Amino acid sequence: MENFNEIFDLEYFFRLSPDWLCVAGFDGYFKKINPAVSKTLGYTESELFARPIDSFVYPEDRSITASKRESIKKNNPLYNFENRYVTKSGEIVWLSWISMPVQKQQLVFAIARNITDKKKLEEFSKVSLVSVKNNEIERGAELSTHNLKPISELSIADQLWLYELETLVRKYIGKVDLIIVLLSNEMGLSERQLHRRIKNTTGITPNNYIRRIRLLMSMEAINSGKYRTVAEISYIAGFETPAYFRKLFKEFYGRDIAEFLQ
C-alpha cells in the first residue's frame, strides 16, 4: 500500500480550507494557521504569531473566551462556541469554534467557521424595516407598510445587502439632510444604481425607505425608556421639526405618539 502522505498532500488540504484551521499553544499564541485566518483578519502571519490570540478577540468577548480557553487546557473539548474577532480594518467577524486539546504537547487544535453573514441575517430579522411589522403589531401599533416587500420574498443576498444599507442609514441618521449621494458613495454604487436597487429590493423609493427607518428608530427610542418627549425622539430619529415628525409618526403607526409616552 502506498504511503498515505504520498497520496494526499495534507499541507495542500490545510491551505485550501475556507474555514480557519489553527494550532494554538497553551500559552495563548498561534503556532500554525492556514491562509483563511490571515485573509479574514487582514494581518500577516508574522503579525498573528507575534501577538497573543486574545488581542484579536473583540473586547467584550475576551472574558468568556479566556474562560473557555482555561476549560480546554483542563482537557475539555469545546464545541460550537461563538465569539467575535476584530479585523485589522476594525470590522467585526463572528466565528463558531470546535477546539480539541492535546495535553501532552500543550497544544489546541481548532477549526472555526465564519458565521458573520448568519449573524447579520439574525440581526436583520430583528430590526430591519422589512421584518419589523409583526413585532410592532404585537405592541399595538399598526404600521403603514404599503408596497413594502416582506422579508420572505428577499433572497439571502438581498437581505445581506439591505443589512449593510440599513446599518449605514442608522449610522448617519442624525444627519437631517441624509441624502442618496452619501449612501451611494458608501455602498460603491452610482446614485441611479442605488435608487434602482432600493426600489427593486424593497418596493419603495429611497426617500420613503429612509423616512421609514427614521420612524422605526423613533419607536426603538421610545421603547428604550430613555427619551420621554416628542422633541427628544424627533431629534434622535433625525427629523427636522417635532411637528412634522409627529404627523408622520401618526400616519405610519396609526396612533399619536403621545399614546406611547404615557
Side-chain angles (χ1 to χ4, degrees), residues 229-248:
T229 70
V230 175
E232 284 180 316
I233 297 167
S234 172
Y235 175 78
I236 291 297
F239 286 97
E240 198 163 1
T241 66
Y244 179 61
F245 160 63
R246 190 165 192 160
K247 174 178 177 294
L248 291 178

Side-chain angles (χ1 to χ4, degrees), residues 80-203:
N80 302 318
F81 170 62
E82 297 179 0
N83 69 354
R84 291 165 288 183
Y85 275 57
V86 182
T87 70
K88 194 170 187 177
S89 63
E91 296 180 10
I92 295 174
V93 177
W94 276 95
L95 298 165
S96 177
W97 293 88
I98 296 177
S99 304
M100 304 295 294
V102 181
Q103 288 284 344
K104 185 176 180 180
Q105 296 174 290
Q106 299 282 282
L107 294 174
V108 178
F109 288 75
I111 300 174
R113 175 154 294 179
N114 189 334
I115 58 170
T116 305
D117 284 350
K118 173 178 173 286
K119 289 295 184 178
K120 285 181 178 180
L121 290 177
E122 289 176 358
E123 183 66 20
F124 182 81
S125 68
K126 293 177 184 176
V127 303
S128 171
L129 177 65
V130 298
S131 62
V132 77
K133 180 178 180 180
N134 289 338
N135 292 332
E136 293 300 339
I137 287 177
E138 289 174 3
R139 288 198 290 265
E142 188 169 347
L143 295 179
S144 173
T145 55
H146 181 63
N147 292 331
L148 186 64
K149 289 184 180 179
I151 195 170
S152 59
E153 293 184 11
L154 302 181
S155 67
I156 291 177
D158 281 341
Q159 290 182 47
L160 288 171
W161 186 82
L162 276 181
Y163 173 88
E164 299 295 340
L165 183 62
E166 290 199 18
T167 299
L168 281 176
V169 173
R170 287 169 176 269
K171 175 182 176 181
Y172 294 117
I173 206 68
K175 294 180 177 292
V176 174
D177 58 346
L178 180 65
I179 51 177
I180 298 301
V181 65
L182 177 61
L183 297 177
S184 65
N185 288 337
E186 292 272 11
M187 297 295 288
L189 297 172
S190 68
E191 292 181 55
R192 184 176 181 181
Q193 289 173 323
L194 183 64
H195 188 287
R196 182 166 57 245
R197 182 154 189 188
I198 292 176
K199 186 67 167 62
N200 290 341
T201 304
T202 66

Side-chain angles (χ1 to χ4, degrees), residues 219-237:
M219 181 61 79
E220 292 171 2
I222 292 171
N223 291 333
S224 74
K226 297 178 181 178
Y227 310 99
R228 304 307 304 166
T229 70
V230 175
E232 284 180 316
I233 297 167
S234 172
Y235 175 78
I236 291 297

